[in-house]
Amino acid sequence: MDYLKEMNHALDYIESNLEGEIDYSTVAKLACCSISCFQRMFSYIADIHLSEYIRRRRMTLAAFELQRSNVKVIDLAVKYGYESPDSFSRAFLNVHGVIPSVARNSGKSLKAYPRITFHISIKGDAEMNYRIEKKEAFRIAGMKRHFHAPEDDPGAVDKFWKEVFENGTYEELMALSSGDPKGVHGFIEVISEEKVDYTIACITDKEPPEGMDSFVISESTWAVFQIEGPVNKAVEDAWKRIFSEWLPVSGYQYAETVDIECFPYQGNRGAADFKFEIWLPVKKM
């Protein structure tokens, strides 16, 4: 499967259906993955949520129509999938900074967002160290937190980690850790474009104390990336590079289980030489 070719097929479908309803299940089918998987890959590669990209493209086309015709706002609202002129006008204002009726006036500055096309960018300025590892099913125990688009609040996960460090949970998890890799890690389950479960946990075969979440992660093949740098910056950069540079040319597909931000080493997480790993579940194309 040509990874970028399938992603671009999905974008062709989106572009062809900006006027009307976009079926996300069709988008995912064209991209040969699930809806949540496509949304996540899109956001990492394009650096924007899929829903926001669609909104911006629709408002770009709507602005063109307003300035070159006498179309009614209510007709534009229906055309671009909005339930009412008010909801359409709010979306238009958020994108262009003016309401639709004002946008008709000549001289008003509006924004145009062009269509995205995915392609491989060959940089070669920084290597990516990784290994492929198969791991049997294992059990984790820890504290789970539900986030609403944590990337919209970049400090949300950091605050969660800070709580775990400060309230004694980290030491409790370290004592509970009995599996490989040892330590306390971040387990990420992407539910949808806007919902993510993040569990700070250890791998263990011991019985967890009352109040902790515990579940089994199924047998998987993992691409394990060695990362170095301050966690709060390096982890974001690493995820983007994995999805935009490594995955498209790797010969693997993203497998939809759980991602791991793995911390097998001790040290200052804000230091430039701090080492950690990212475990990406993959499968052969």
Side-chain angles (χ1 to χ4, degrees):
M1 184 185 79
D2 187 324
Y3 175 87
L4 292 180
K5 182 179 179 181
E6 304 306 326
M7 292 286 285
N8 282 318
H9 281 167
L11 287 174
D12 289 340
Y13 167 80
I14 290 171
E15 194 69 19
S16 299
N17 289 276
L18 290 172
E19 299 178 6
E21 183 178 353
I22 293 174
D23 181 5
Y24 274 33
S25 62
T26 300
V27 173
K29 184 177 180 180
L30 288 168
C32 299
C33 62
S34 74
I35 296 171
S36 61
C37 177
F38 179 81
Q39 289 172 326
R40 188 176 186 205
M41 289 192 294
F42 182 93
S43 66
Y44 275 125
I45 297 173
D47 206 24
I48 184 176
H49 286 322
L50 177 61
S51 57
E52 176 62 16
Y53 169 74
I54 291 171
R55 184 169 72 98
R56 289 182 182 183
R57 286 293 298 137
R58 282 173 164 164
M59 292 305 103
T60 294
L61 299 183
F64 289 157
E65 287 199 52
L66 278 169
Q67 292 203 316
R68 69 173 182 240
S69 72
N70 293 319
V71 62
K72 295 180 180 179
V73 172
I74 189 172
D75 292 334
L76 281 180
V78 172
K79 183 175 183 177
Y80 290 107
Y82 288 82
E83 295 181 355
S84 70
D86 287 343
S87 60
F88 171 79
S89 294
R90 285 193 298 271
F92 193 94
L93 177 64
N94 286 335
V95 171
H96 296 289
V98 295
I99 59 175
S101 58
V102 174
R104 290 189 189 278
N105 300 332
S106 60
K108 285 297 178 183
S109 177
L110 301 174
K111 296 178 181 179
Y113 292 94
R115 174 199 167 141
I116 284 176
T117 300
F118 293 132
H119 64 278
I120 297 175
S121 176
I122 306 299
K123 296 180 179 179
D125 56 350
E127 72 277 5
M128 298 186 73
N129 298 314
Y130 75 96
R131 67 182 186 272
I132 301 297
E133 183 170 319
K134 190 168 184 179
K135 188 172 177 60
E136 294 181 355
F138 58 92
R139 183 184 182 205
I140 70 169
M143 308 301 294
K144 179 186 285 189
R145 188 72 57 85
H146 305 286
F147 290 104
H148 181 82
E151 59 269 31
D152 291 339
D153 179 9
V157 172
D158 289 341
K159 291 174 186 174
F160 185 24
W161 273 102
K162 186 178 180 181
E163 289 177 27
V164 168
F165 279 120
E166 292 180 348
N167 64 16
T169 302
Y170 182 81
E171 288 76 13
E172 193 174 8
L173 288 170
M174 283 296 290
L176 192 62
S177 174
S178 60
D180 183 41
K182 290 190 176 182
V184 181
H185 318 296
F187 296 84
I188 308 164
E189 183 178 5
V190 178
I191 309 301
S192 69
E193 186 179 31
E194 297 182 342
K195 295 179 181 179
V196 175
D197 285 350
Y198 193 98
T199 305
I200 297 177
C202 65
I203 300 171
T204 185
D205 55 8
K206 301 177 183 178
E207 189 64 30
E210 186 177 350
M212 280 194 180
D213 296 288
S214 180
F215 55 91
V216 173
I217 296 176
S218 60
E219 178 181 322
S220 298
T221 298
W222 306 83
V224 182
F225 298 85
Q226 292 84 51
I227 314 299
E228 184 172 342
V231 173
N232 60 357
K233 182 180 186 303
V235 72
E236 181 180 355
D237 292 343
W239 278 120
K240 287 183 179 179
R241 290 196 66 203
I242 288 167
F243 276 94
S244 63
E245 298 177 30
W246 183 84
L247 195 57
V249 296
S250 66
Y252 288 93
Q253 285 181 279
Y254 177 52
E256 297 169 58
T257 54
V258 173
D259 306 333
I260 310 173
E261 293 174 350
C262 183
F263 301 100
Y265 315 112
Q266 299 297 305
N268 177 5
R269 296 191 179 205
D273 61 352
F274 181 76
K275 294 179 174 61
F276 62 101
E277 298 175 341
I278 285 180
W279 289 51
L280 183 79
V282 295
K283 58 186 178 182
K284 278 285 189 181
M285 287 185 177

